[in-house]
Amino acid sequence: MKIKRLCLLLIPVLLLAGCWDIKDINKRFFPLIVAISKENDEAYTITLQMPIPQNVNEASRTVTVKANSIGSALEQVQLDAEDVIDYSQTQLIFIQSNLAKEQQAMQKLIHFVMNAKEIPSRALLAITDENVEDLLKDINQKLGIQTSSIYDYFNKGYDWAPEIFSIPIWKAYQSLFFHTQDLAIPVASAGKDTVLTFEGLDVFRKGEKMERISTAESLLLNMVQNKNEGGTVESLESADIHIINSSVKKHATMKNKRPVLSVDLHLTMRILEKKQDISDKHIQQQLQQRLEQRFHTLLQRLQEAHTDIFGFGQQFRQFIPYKELKNWRTTYYPNLQVDFNVSTTITQ
């Protein structure tokens, strides 16, 4: 009888096993943005933007710590916080350009995020020339700004502007090992009356910053990578046109060991406004010439820097022996010939 009573008393204890260490969601902070900078004294500054749990969509607070490594800084935040810091919902990593210009620091940061697994590898990357702590505080002070506004700015599915480029951390990690494709990261600063101002892309080769390209060139990169799903307005000498959609086809060949690539970009556009006596054909020619010139100017700069953010090298993996792929940027890419052809269709 005593044994039976003892078993009855132990049943509730057994049912609770495995749940005793679960932390209530109300006792967790979820940083949406992790901003990182590196000072001249080798110390890292980490600033977190976290929504206030009772008012998730309308308010947030920032927390800043300084330590000798990123891991130590994140640990210090946890020590100082009154609740658990949970990075599983982190959506964006903002990097201050003073860190981004150091190749080893960039490589170390990307490796840390991937290996630590605390921050999801789907989180996006962005760079700013501003002090990251001031940037987040400035955005928090803007009236009507939701805590997810910065991430939404880079999110393709949320009122996406076709010039804006986004890259997740796992792709940045992958680029450190690619021989035939380099990395581009969007650059932004706090807007005067808006959340952010887009300033172009920083181009990296194996974590080393090589170039900064403009917003117009960023649009071209999206088009050539077939990512242009939205529309943009282009002002020509004789008209304003709205590019509604784009599609691209590529065909790679080797001619006497020289890589040759045909890139055919087709645009569907609508004419918003034009000068009198200007034909549609003339407008189409102006747009085609502008984009082709813009493309070849950018390609020349990138070839001189031995940086392939278009990923053209990926088209030639079947033609180049595996052992030779590591020489793509120095041996093959500078001699790459790209026949870039733009065609257009006008719609109402």
Side-chain angles (χ1 to χ4, degrees), residues 18-228:
C19 300
W20 62 272
D21 60 343
I22 296 297
K23 199 77 172 179
D24 192 287
I25 194 169
N26 293 328
K27 298 295 182 181
R28 290 174 181 266
F29 283 128
F30 295 96
L32 296 183
I33 298 172
V34 177
I36 307 172
S37 67
K38 190 168 183 288
E39 308 298 334
N40 293 329
D41 59 2
E42 302 297 320
Y44 288 86
T45 300
I46 306 287
T47 301
L48 308 180
Q49 187 204 44
M50 300 183 288
I52 298 172
Q54 289 78 14
N55 204 1
V56 175
N57 290 323
E58 297 180 2
S60 65
R61 68 170 180 172
T62 59
V63 176
T64 300
V65 297
K66 194 173 181 180
N68 291 327
S69 69
I70 299 172
S72 299
L74 296 180
E75 187 178 354
Q76 187 61 47
V77 176
Q78 185 60 78
L79 287 173
D80 296 342
E82 59 270 30
D83 286 318
V84 173
I85 304 294
D86 187 333
Y87 295 95
S88 64
Q89 303 303 312
T90 299
Q91 298 170 340
L92 180 67
I93 300 173
F94 240 123
I95 306 168
Q96 194 169 317
S97 54
N98 63 351
L99 188 158
K101 69 182 180 183
E102 295 184 25
Q103 183 180 15
Q104 288 188 345
M106 276 296 284
Q107 289 180 345
K108 190 175 178 181
L109 186 155
I110 294 170
H111 276 281
F112 174 84
V113 175
M114 284 297 295
N115 294 328
K117 300 186 184 303
E118 293 179 337
I119 298 173
S121 60
R122 66 176 182 279
L124 302 179
L125 283 176
I127 290 174
T128 182
D129 293 333
E130 298 182 46
N131 180 287
V132 287
E133 184 180 0
D134 295 340
L135 173 69
L136 295 187
K137 286 182 177 178
D138 179 76
I139 291 170
N140 274 358
Q141 291 171 358
K142 286 188 169 71
L143 294 176
I145 298 299
Q146 296 184 348
T147 52
S148 62
S149 297
I150 300 179
Y151 170 76
D152 293 339
Y153 181 85
F154 293 102
N155 191 358
K156 187 177 175 181
Y158 189 87
D159 290 340
W160 185 64
E163 292 88 349
I164 293 177
F165 189 86
S166 62
I167 186 93
I169 188 71
W170 68 266
K171 278 195 173 181
Y173 179 76
Q174 199 177 46
S175 76
L176 297 179
F177 305 96
F178 267 155
H179 297 305
T180 51
Q181 185 166 8
D182 291 310
L183 173 67
I185 301 178
V187 182
S189 59
K192 183 179 178 183
D193 300 311
T194 58
V195 178
L196 292 171
T197 298
F198 184 57
E199 297 183 346
L201 302 175
D202 273 355
V203 177
F204 293 86
R205 184 182 65 200
K206 301 282 187 184
E208 181 181 8
K209 181 181 171 181
M210 307 302 296
E211 284 273 349
R212 176 169 292 184
I213 67 174
S214 67
T215 55
E217 291 165 331
S218 172
L219 172 65
L220 198 57
L221 176 62
N222 276 332
M223 285 179 172
V224 173
Q225 292 190 344
N226 214 10
K227 294 179 180 177
N228 181 38

Side-chain angles (χ1 to χ4, degrees), residues 157-295:
Y158 189 87
D159 290 340
W160 185 64
E163 292 88 349
I164 293 177
F165 189 86
S166 62
I167 186 93
I169 188 71
W170 68 266
K171 278 195 173 181
Y173 179 76
Q174 199 177 46
S175 76
L176 297 179
F177 305 96
F178 267 155
H179 297 305
T180 51
Q181 185 166 8
D182 291 310
L183 173 67
I185 301 178
V187 182
S189 59
K192 183 179 178 183
D193 300 311
T194 58
V195 178
L196 292 171
T197 298
F198 184 57
E199 297 183 346
L201 302 175
D202 273 355
V203 177
F204 293 86
R205 184 182 65 200
K206 301 282 187 184
E208 181 181 8
K209 181 181 171 181
M210 307 302 296
E211 284 273 349
R212 176 169 292 184
I213 67 174
S214 67
T215 55
E217 291 165 331
S218 172
L219 172 65
L220 198 57
L221 176 62
N222 276 332
M223 285 179 172
V224 173
Q225 292 190 344
N226 214 10
K227 294 179 180 177
N228 181 38
E229 298 177 2
T232 186
V233 174
E234 188 84 22
S235 294
L236 305 172
E237 290 80 1
S238 58
D240 287 339
I241 58 103
H242 181 206
I243 299 174
I244 298 172
N245 203 352
S246 70
S247 60
V248 66
K249 292 183 179 178
K250 301 169 192 168
H251 178 67
T253 56
M254 293 291 283
K255 294 182 179 178
N256 298 323
K257 296 185 178 181
R258 182 184 185 185
V260 177
L261 185 66
S262 173
V263 178
D264 298 317
L265 176 66
H266 183 76
L267 305 175
T268 303
M269 67 180 196
R270 187 160 56 93
I271 298 175
L272 301 176
E273 185 178 12
K274 67 178 182 179
K275 293 181 179 177
Q276 288 184 343
D277 303 325
I278 297 294
S279 67
D280 291 352
K281 186 177 181 180
H282 182 74
I283 295 170
Q284 289 174 291
Q285 289 174 341
Q286 278 189 340
L287 179 63
Q288 291 162 9
Q289 290 172 0
R290 173 178 289 192
L291 292 180
E292 288 173 3
Q293 182 180 11
R294 189 182 293 168
F295 171 81

